[in-house]
């Protein structure tokens, strides 16, 4: 069967990232900030919440009743979404040029274009704290996690794979190559799907 569009939500600006939890879509909608949409009726998605404090939001993640966003201007933001119609920023770490991040439990693994992989503890949502800046990861462009493995993609096509059994001290397991810039990755079913002029697929079993 061919995929077909059943609904559409017009924002008037690009969305770089989306997470869907409990029939709510959280969109990193660049210059209009975080947009939250009810997608319980996919034929008619509707905006039910929004947050913008001036930055261009590029990435979004969800942990329990908190939404984590990142943008070049404000760094890493933690929003309380208990009232989904009115997200409230309760925590922030100021960084320049966050390329992307992935949240896992109470840790955020984020890619800083200039510095590399940073690990941030968000156990205290009002006071996030960096616990690791990993050497040898400058130039990273994307990050993904699959179980106890972390995949770090680079602009030059390199992919470094780390053991994060101890997430505060990632250990390099191996390296592999892609055909070009590794700007995005998704790990599923022992395969790594790489965003490069379409999709490249690597066996990571």
């Amino acid at each position: 069967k061919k995929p077909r569009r059943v609904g559409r939500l017009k924002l008037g600006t690009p969305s770089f990232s989306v997470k869907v939890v409990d029939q709510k879509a959280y969109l990193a909608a660049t210059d209009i900030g975080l947009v939250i949409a009810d997608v319980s009726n996919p034929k008619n998605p509707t905006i039910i919440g929004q947050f913008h404090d001036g930055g261009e939001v590029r990435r979004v993640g969800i942990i329990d009743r908190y939404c984590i966003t990142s943008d070049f201007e404000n760094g890493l933001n933690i929003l309380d979404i208990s009232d989904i119609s009115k997200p409230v920023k309760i925590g922030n770490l100021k960084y320049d040029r966050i390329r992307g991040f992935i949240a896992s439990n109470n840790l955020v693994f984020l890619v800083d274009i200039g510095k590399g992989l940073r690990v941030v503890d968000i156990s205290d949502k009002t006071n996030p704290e960096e616990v690791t800046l990993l050497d040898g990861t400058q130039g990273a462009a994307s990050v993904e996690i699959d179980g106890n493995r972390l995949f770090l993609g680079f602009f030059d096509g390199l992919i470094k794979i780390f053991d994060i059994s101890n997430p505060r001290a990632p250990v390099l397991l191996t390296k592999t190559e892609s055909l070009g810039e590794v700007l995005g990755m998704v790990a599923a079913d022992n395969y790594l799907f790489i965003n490069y002029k379409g999709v490249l697929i690597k066996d990571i079993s």
Side-chain angles (χ1 to χ4, degrees):
K1 293 183 178 181
K2 293 183 179 180
R4 61 187 179 89
R5 187 173 73 190
V6 296
R8 184 179 184 183
L9 181 64
K10 293 184 179 180
L11 297 177
T13 189
S15 295
F16 278 80
S17 175
V18 61
K19 296 291 182 184
V20 179
V21 178
D22 295 332
Q23 297 186 322
K24 307 293 189 300
Y26 301 81
L27 299 105
T30 54
D31 57 355
I32 64 171
L34 171 71
V35 173
I36 305 171
D38 184 335
V39 293
S40 56
N41 178 5
K43 294 182 179 180
N44 185 33
T46 56
I47 294 174
I48 57 174
Q50 191 168 355
F51 178 85
H52 189 218
D53 64 349
E56 289 197 0
V57 177
R58 300 297 183 98
R59 294 291 184 272
V60 61
I62 304 295
I63 295 180
D64 299 326
R65 62 182 180 89
Y66 301 97
C67 181
I68 299 95
T69 67
S70 68
D71 62 68
F72 284 172
E73 291 79 7
N74 299 302
L76 191 72
N77 294 322
I78 301 175
L79 310 177
D80 187 329
I81 52 172
S82 299
D83 181 350
I84 205 163
S85 66
K86 296 179 181 179
V88 177
K89 182 163 76 171
I90 59 170
N92 170 264
L93 266 182
K94 182 69 175 179
Y95 288 122
D96 292 326
R97 307 286 288 177
I98 295 178
R99 175 71 192 183
F101 73 85
I102 188 163
S104 178
N105 296 321
N106 276 317
L107 293 173
V108 176
F109 300 82
L110 65 86
V111 174
D112 181 314
I113 289 178
K115 299 294 186 179
L117 181 70
R118 299 179 183 269
V119 183
V120 177
D121 187 331
I122 59 168
S123 300
D124 180 351
K125 303 297 187 294
T126 63
N127 186 33
E129 180 185 10
E130 182 176 309
V131 293
T132 302
L133 173 59
L134 196 61
D135 290 338
T137 58
Q138 295 84 352
S142 58
V143 62
E144 172 66 323
I145 290 177
D146 180 41
N148 284 328
R149 296 179 296 177
L150 181 142
F151 301 84
L152 200 60
F154 291 77
F155 285 105
D156 63 1
L158 179 66
I159 299 172
K160 292 186 177 182
I161 305 173
F162 294 87
D163 182 342
I164 54 169
S165 300
N166 178 1
R168 294 170 179 257
V171 176
L172 182 65
L173 293 174
T174 188
K175 303 175 185 178
T176 186
E177 297 283 344
S178 181
L179 297 178
E181 297 176 335
V182 185
L183 301 180
M185 298 177 287
V186 174
D189 299 325
N190 277 322
Y191 292 97
L192 188 65
F193 300 84
I194 302 162
N195 174 18
Y196 178 71
K197 296 183 178 180
V199 179
L200 300 177
I201 304 172
K202 280 184 171 287
D203 186 333
I204 55 171
S205 56

